[in-house]
Amino acid sequence: GGQRRYSEAAIEAALAVRLVFGLPWRQTEGLLGSVLSLMGLELQVPDHTTLSRRTAGLDVGLELRTARGPLHLMVDATGVGLFGEGEWAAAKWGGRGRRGWRKLHVAVDDDGTIVAAELTDNTRADATVFPDLLAQVPAPIRRVTADGAYDRRAVYEVLAERGAQAIIPPSRKAVVSGEGVLADRDAHIEHISHVGRRRWRQDVGQHQQARAENTFYRYKGTFGGRLRARGPAAQRNEVITGCRILNRMA
């Protein structure tokens, strides 16, 4: 029932150090103690158990900057594994076990800044997460570029409400619908029928979606391809903190 000794800012700082240097919590505790000692500060360092428990209770969000104009967003998702899941699953199921993983969804602007991010279960389809992802962006949006996984009616409806152009490759069996909410999709279908899919990608700039893929390369190159946290809340705070760190590095 005692009062908390460490602020949320202190726990977030420890989490950032843990991610950047790829350390377990016990080593993070030791590194922070060394840093404070070198700075000549007589401050207590949270023990590794406190750091692990408090991380799940944080409310970490992206630091949104003021947009200079309507944004062009690139949206994509990637899988991230669970740290330590393989050994536990192997002991329970035998062999290599069942590998667990989550999905990291991001929206990136022209500058490579992550403006929205979300972590979901691996069973969630990319298109179903898209409305929640776009809701994190209060600034005006002029266009959204994504891959074929987002070629769903719900995605076009959300983009129509925001007044944003959709640059999404339609499926190869797609036909013109004539519906207003699918106007961008119909235009892409007609364009592809005249010039082909490869030329269409060049004409509309769909190749810029690679910025989102480059973001995943940066994330996994910096923090690794697995989540260290165990619980869902702590895992989400881990990836959001990672995205904030990447924005600061950029």
Side-chain angles (χ1 to χ4, degrees), residues 9-39:
I11 305 300
E12 288 184 21
L15 176 59
V17 170
R18 166 181 162 91
L19 291 176
V20 170
F21 292 100
L23 301 175
W25 277 125
R26 191 182 296 270
Q27 294 182 14
T28 303
E29 175 189 350
L31 176 58
L32 291 175
S34 299
V35 171
L36 293 179
S37 177
L38 290 172
M39 296 175 66

Side-chain angles (χ1 to χ4, degrees), residues 30-243:
L31 176 58
L32 291 175
S34 299
V35 171
L36 293 179
S37 177
L38 290 172
M39 296 175 66
L41 299 176
E42 296 182 359
L43 296 176
Q44 288 185 316
V45 177
D47 61 82
H48 56 277
T49 302
T50 298
L51 291 172
S52 178
R53 290 176 176 174
R54 288 285 304 277
T55 301
L58 295 176
D59 185 17
V60 180
L62 289 173
E63 298 174 342
L64 300 180
R65 63 181 182 178
T66 303
R68 294 187 295 271
L71 298 175
H72 174 201
L73 300 182
M74 280 63 69
V75 180
D76 205 353
T78 189
V80 285
L82 301 181
F83 191 84
E85 177 75 8
E87 297 177 0
W88 175 86
K92 182 174 182 179
W93 304 103
R96 298 184 62 183
R98 300 179 180 179
R99 295 183 178 273
W101 57 286
R102 299 283 186 268
K103 265 189 177 182
L104 173 59
H105 308 258
V106 300
V108 184
D109 67 7
D110 284 323
D111 297 330
T113 302
I114 304 172
V115 298
E118 193 58 70
L119 185 72
T120 67
D121 190 74
N122 57 13
T123 58
R124 288 286 301 276
D126 297 350
T128 62
V129 184
F130 182 81
D132 298 333
L133 200 65
L134 216 63
Q136 299 180 25
V137 185
I141 302 172
R142 60 183 175 87
R143 64 186 294 184
V144 172
T145 302
D147 58 25
Y150 296 87
D151 183 32
R152 299 291 184 272
R153 184 183 186 87
V155 173
Y156 292 104
E157 290 176 349
V158 172
L159 292 178
E161 293 175 359
R162 298 291 296 267
Q165 180 187 14
I167 307 297
I168 302 173
S171 65
R172 297 187 180 276
K173 297 182 180 180
V175 295
V176 176
S177 66
E179 299 183 44
V181 72
L182 300 177
D184 288 340
R185 186 175 189 266
D186 291 345
H188 296 325
I189 295 173
E190 294 179 349
H191 193 167
I192 291 173
S193 67
H194 287 89
V195 302
R197 192 168 291 264
R198 179 178 297 181
R199 179 60 183 274
W200 169 81
R201 292 181 184 275
Q202 297 176 354
D203 292 345
V204 301
Q206 203 274 334
H207 60 278
Q208 296 184 44
Q209 196 260 345
R211 291 183 182 271
E213 297 174 0
N214 182 62
T215 299
F216 296 137
Y217 174 80
R218 292 174 56 218
Y219 184 95
K220 294 182 179 180
T222 304
F223 311 117
R226 290 186 178 184
L227 300 171
R228 291 181 173 270
R230 299 300 177 90
Q235 290 170 354
R236 182 187 180 278
N237 288 332
E238 178 179 327
V239 298
I240 298 300
T241 301
C243 291

